[in-house]
């Protein structure tokens, strides 16, 4: 089923914004954060107007209602990723915190000096720095699956690395710079065969692809609401129950305990064991509304729409003289177009496009090592989501010609 | 907004007068803009009296950062190191003749941070140098 773009765009009030007189917003930066539909904005608004109370332990009506909403959202998020139980869905602030939770709790309890963790050359800083920190603290070893010139992971090199018996393979499902969709299930399967566990950074896959925890079989999967039409300040760590149950708590405090004595505590059961303190309640409810929204459109339809836009964008961008695109061909990637333009710095590209209301991002997109690999300091990145249209791609292309003219 | 790419900025970006390296030099310092990875190195020759006699910058960056580096170096030749230490954000904005939002301000101020860190003999170019 094709998406009804006219209807969808009406769901997103910000897409109708005039930035300056006569300049309408063309939002091509959803990889950084997605825009929010009314359904999400109104769910959060309604929570504060009608239901606001702290969750758990309260017996008054509002506390009952807010707890039900908060936990109801968790159930729907679990269903969205086809987790077998909502107990496996731990609320965090974002993907970064979810990965750090694994690094602080699981890894510090299980990794010792000399243990190998395999990452890839296309990781976001959030899946690099926690491991650098553990390396400094524990002396673990890090190896990286190389990225080929056309932006794919070198799986043969990965298989060779696996012979060294890693304890953890942690990798992104989809690159936020190249757009590459990695064969995640295969990478996880190979890791398991080698006796390793696997963490999948789903920050870019949960918003754009149908993900299924049963089929993926990852031990951990991390994602952020804000990239999938939900609010900022909330994300999820999904984990396999056996692992989550044996892991020590991460942060200590209220809610994560079953019992506290003056000199000791017993941890609460899953998922609360990892959720210390008052959580982002309205945000969790907004996240629930976001997965409802995506589900109502159908993740397969969203992926198909993005693919169509992305293919069209690649075609149009490739025609521009002096423009170089990074990453694989459209069939192997999501809706991300990172490029450089001869003689013009990406910041200048983004700034000039902004004059016409076109929002693209410029920089290293929190993936500095990947840019170093391709020997460029920065790229401009246009990214596409369920609300973007071919007309917007045309505006982008027109804008890039204008940049060329200014610097020509 | 349209003046962001004033003629002089594009001109200094495309045809900088002070791009390159100085060998020998008395002061040399390099640093990155952590937001975008842009890199700038600045070399200075300084006389016995503490006057900047020549200056060059090298590295990569956007039109704003490169043009501001070029304009900055042009303006400090003949100045004393003590004067250079007094240069602040407003000085750079005057040189560029534009107003900038918080993100692009970092680009414009990168060369000044690197210059002052070099002149003060610091390990790292901090934001406090350009307040
Ligand atoms: C692949 C990938 N991983 C992790 C992150 C970090 O997400 P967050 O900032 O929401 O923690 C991002 C965000 O850009 C991303 O694209």
């Amino acid at each position: 089923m094709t998406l009804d773009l006219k209807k969808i765009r009406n769901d997103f009030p910000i897409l109708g914004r005039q930035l300056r007189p006569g300049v309408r917003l063309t939002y091509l930066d959803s990889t950084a954060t997605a825009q929010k539909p009314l359904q999400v904005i109104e769910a959060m608004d309604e929570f504060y107007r009608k239901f606001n109370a702290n969750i758990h332990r309260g017996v008054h009506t509002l506390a009952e209602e807010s707890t039900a909403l908060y936990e109801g959202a968790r159930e729907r998020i679990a269903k969205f990723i086809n987790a077998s139980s909502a107990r496996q869905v731990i609320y965090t602030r974002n993907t970064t915190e979810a990965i750090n939770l694994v690094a602080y709790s699981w890894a510090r309890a299980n990794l010792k000096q000399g243990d190998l963790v395999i990452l890839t050359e296309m990781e976001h800083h959030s899946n690099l720095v926690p491991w650098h920190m553990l390396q400094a603290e524990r002396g673990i070893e890090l190896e990286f699956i190389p990225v080929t010139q056309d932006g794919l992971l070198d799986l043969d090199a990965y298989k060779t690395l696996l012979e060294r018996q890693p304890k953890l393979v942690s990798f992104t499902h989809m690159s936020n710079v190249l757009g590459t969709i990695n064969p995640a299930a295969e990478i996880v399967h190979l890791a398991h065969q080698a006796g390793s566990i696997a963490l999948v950074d789903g920050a870019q896959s949960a918003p754009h692809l149908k993900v299924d925890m049963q089929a993926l079989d990852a031990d951990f999967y991390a994602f952020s609401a804000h990239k999938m039409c939900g609010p900022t300040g909330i994300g999820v760590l999904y984990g396999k129950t056996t692992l989550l149950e044996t892991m020590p708590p991460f942060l200590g405090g209220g809610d994560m305990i079953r019992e506290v004595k003056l000199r000791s505590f017993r941890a609460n059961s899953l998922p609360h064991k990892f959720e210390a303190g008052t959580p982002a309640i309205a945000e969790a409810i907004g996240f629930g509304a976001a997965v409802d929204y995506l589900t109502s459109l159908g993740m397969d339809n969203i992926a198909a729409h993005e693919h169509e836009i992305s293919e069209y964008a690649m075609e149009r961008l490739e025609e521009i003289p002096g423009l170089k695109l990074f990453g694989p061909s459209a069939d192997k990637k999501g809706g991300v177009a990172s490029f450089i333009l001869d003689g013009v710095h990406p910041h200048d590209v983004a700034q000039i496009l902004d004059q016409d209301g076109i929002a693209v991002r410029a920089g290293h997109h929190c993936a500095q090592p990947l840019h170093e690999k391709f020997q460029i300091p920065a790229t401009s990145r246009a990214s596409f989501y369920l609300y973007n249209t071919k007309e917007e791609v045309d505006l982008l292309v027109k804008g890039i010609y204008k940049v060329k003219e200014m610097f020509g | 907004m349209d003046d962001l790419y004033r003629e002089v900025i594009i001109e200094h970006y495309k045809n900088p007068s002070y791009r390159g390296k100085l060998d020998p030099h008395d002061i040399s310092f390099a640093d990155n803009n952590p937001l975008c990875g842009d890199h700038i190195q600045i070399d200075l020759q300084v006389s016995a009296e503490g006057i900047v006699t020549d200056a060059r910058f090298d590295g990569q960056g956007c039109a704003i950062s490169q043009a501001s580096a070029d304009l900055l170096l042009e303006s400090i030749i003949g100045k004393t190191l003590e004067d250079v230490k007094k240069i602040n954000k407003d000085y750079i904005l005057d040189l560029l003749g534009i107003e900038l939002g918080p993100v692009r301000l970092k680009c414009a101020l990168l060369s000044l941070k690197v210059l002052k860190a070099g002149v003060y003999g610091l390990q790292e170019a901090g934001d406090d140098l350009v307040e």
Side-chain angles (χ1 to χ4, degrees), chain A residues 155-319:
Chain A
L155 292 186
D156 287 331
Y158 172 47
K159 286 173 194 158
T160 309
L161 283 174
L162 285 174
E163 289 166 12
R164 290 176 47 194
Q165 299 187 314
K167 291 288 191 324
L168 170 68
V169 177
S170 186
F171 67 99
T172 189
H173 196 165
M174 175 171 150
S175 162
N176 65 317
V177 178
L178 303 170
T180 316
I181 299 171
N182 291 316
E186 184 186 352
I187 295 171
V188 169
H189 180 67
L190 288 168
H192 287 163
Q193 276 187 329
S196 172
I197 71 155
L199 185 162
V200 177
D201 172 350
Q204 295 301 339
S205 56
H208 303 285
L209 307 172
K210 187 173 211 156
V211 289
D212 179 335
M213 290 306 113
Q214 315 290 325
L216 187 60
D217 201 27
D219 300 282
F220 296 110
Y221 183 84
F223 55 112
S224 299
H226 72 92
K227 294 189 194 282
M228 44 201 294
C229 298
T232 53
I234 188 119
V236 161
L237 176 70
Y238 157 90
K240 286 201 176 148
T241 310
T242 45
L243 279 168
L244 293 175
E245 275 182 341
T246 55
M247 278 158 58
F250 173 33
L251 300 173
D255 241 24
M256 53 73 70
I257 44 86
R258 187 186 308 272
E259 179 184 54
V260 178
K261 300 274 175 60
L262 207 48
R263 294 183 188 279
S264 63
F265 77 97
R266 279 200 305 136
N268 203 341
S269 55
L270 290 176
H272 311 294
K273 172 170 136 185
F274 294 106
E275 294 177 2
T278 300
I281 305 168
E283 286 75 6
I285 291 163
F287 196 177
V291 302
D292 291 346
Y293 184 75
L294 296 176
T295 305
S296 74
L297 297 177
M299 287 308 290
D300 287 334
N301 301 327
I302 291 171
H305 171 75
E306 282 175 31
H307 183 72
E308 192 184 323
I309 299 291
S310 168
E311 212 165 36
Y312 178 68
M314 297 306 128
E315 243 174 66
R316 295 284 332 259
L317 291 170
E318 265 164 9
E319 288 167 5

